[in-house]
């Protein structure tokens, strides 16, 4: 029996064996050091049919600070990436020569998925993937994981971030919840 991924439940996603596929795009503006990637998370729910189901996809921007000026490259993408880069450099004061991944958006392809499932995918799939690829930092906006609007999802996200994923978080006084920047030191994360 085929399952439409829009009908997947939190339990099905959280219990699934996830594998990955993806596509890379090299920056047209920079010769080295900047790639974008669509990482697709898939599973097979029914062994009989062995049909792959797309559970989620995430858009990543991958920077190698030794090859490209991090701020300049982020600014060339769009205002969100420039905003994150500015916070990473000026507030968190990370080394601009680092290997940095910005998680632009995490889309879970289920109308039933909650913030808890999104965070589980981030914690158990995406961050380990970035660590294994040799990135030193992963950063993202709150809105990249949980869209604004649902106070309960925002609170669930905040609690999970504080209790499940070691990260530094910052929301400026004049900024909305979705503009909060999160930084994960991947070396610290895997320790």
């Amino acid at each position: 029996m085929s399952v439409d991924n829009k009908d997947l439940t939190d339990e099905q996603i959280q219990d699934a064996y996830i594998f990955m596929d993806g596509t890379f795009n090299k920056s047209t503006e920079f010769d080295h050091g900047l790639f974008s990637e669509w990482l697709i998370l898939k599973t097979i729910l029914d062994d009989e049919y062995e049909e792959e189901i797309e559970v989620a996809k995430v858009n990543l921007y991958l920077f190698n600070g030794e090859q490209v000026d991090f701020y300049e490259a982020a600014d060339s993408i769009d205002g969100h990436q420039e905003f994150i880069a500015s916070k990473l450099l000026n507030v968190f004061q990370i080394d601009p020569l680092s290997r940095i991944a910005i998680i632009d958006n995490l889309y879970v392809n289920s109308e039933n998925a909650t913030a808890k499932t999104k965070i589980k995918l981030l914690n158990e799939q995406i961050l380990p993937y970035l660590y294994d690829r040799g990135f030193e930092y992963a950063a993202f906006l709150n809105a990249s994981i949980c869209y604004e609007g649902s106070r309960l999802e925002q609170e669930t996200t905040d609690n999970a971030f504080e209790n499940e994923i070691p990260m530094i978080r910052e929301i400026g006084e004049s900024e909305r919840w979705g503009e909060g920047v999160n930084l994960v030191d991947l070396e610290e994360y895997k320790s």
Side-chain angles (χ1 to χ4, degrees):
M1 176 177 83
S2 180
V3 175
D4 182 355
N5 60 355
K6 297 289 182 201
D7 297 325
L8 289 172
T9 65
D10 268 350
E11 185 177 6
Q12 286 174 306
I13 296 170
Q14 291 181 18
D15 292 342
Y17 170 76
I18 303 289
F19 54 96
M20 298 180 192
D21 193 6
T23 58
F24 294 89
N25 292 305
K26 183 179 172 296
S27 170
T28 56
E29 288 188 50
F30 299 92
D31 290 335
H32 302 285
L34 174 58
F35 286 84
S36 64
E37 177 180 2
W38 276 104
L39 184 64
I40 301 167
L41 308 178
K42 299 179 180 181
T43 192
I44 296 173
L45 290 179
D46 189 334
D47 289 337
E48 183 179 336
Y49 294 104
E50 296 185 7
E51 179 185 353
E52 292 182 0
I53 296 175
E54 186 177 298
V55 173
K57 61 184 172 182
V58 61
N59 187 24
L60 304 168
Y61 291 106
L62 309 171
F63 302 86
N64 183 338
E66 291 183 356
Q67 297 177 337
V68 69
D69 180 288
F70 172 57
Y71 181 82
E72 187 180 320
D75 187 38
S76 75
I77 298 168
D78 64 33
H80 290 125
Q81 308 322 309
E82 182 274 334
F83 177 76
I84 294 170
S86 176
K87 291 277 183 151
L88 295 182
L89 296 171
N90 298 317
V91 176
F92 298 121
Q93 298 185 342
I94 67 166
D95 182 354
L97 300 179
S98 302
R99 290 177 46 90
I100 303 159
I102 294 180
I103 301 167
D104 187 41
N105 276 302
L106 170 60
Y107 301 102
V108 177
N109 295 328
S110 170
E111 295 170 353
N112 304 311
T114 64
K116 186 174 181 170
T117 291
K118 294 174 187 177
I119 292 162
K120 182 177 175 81
L121 291 171
L122 176 70
N123 194 23
E124 294 181 7
Q125 302 297 325
I126 299 163
L127 294 176
Y129 169 77
L130 293 171
Y131 175 81
D132 288 347
R133 296 263 326 272
F135 286 90
E136 297 162 83
Y137 297 103
F140 55 92
L141 293 172
N142 284 337
S144 296
I145 305 301
C146 174
Y147 300 110
E148 292 183 67
S150 167
R151 190 56 144 168
L152 179 60
E153 273 209 325
Q154 290 176 11
E155 289 173 14
T156 302
T157 302
D158 287 339
N159 289 336
F161 284 166
E162 294 191 16
N163 298 317
E164 296 179 29
I165 303 174
M167 66 174 64
I168 304 169
R169 308 186 72 207
E170 196 275 332
I171 301 175
E173 287 183 25
S174 64
E175 295 165 355
R176 297 186 318 247
W177 182 86
E179 295 171 336
V181 176
N182 303 282
L183 174 66
V184 179
D185 180 328
L186 292 169
E187 287 296 324
E188 210 173 279
Y189 168 77
K190 287 308 284 183
S191 325

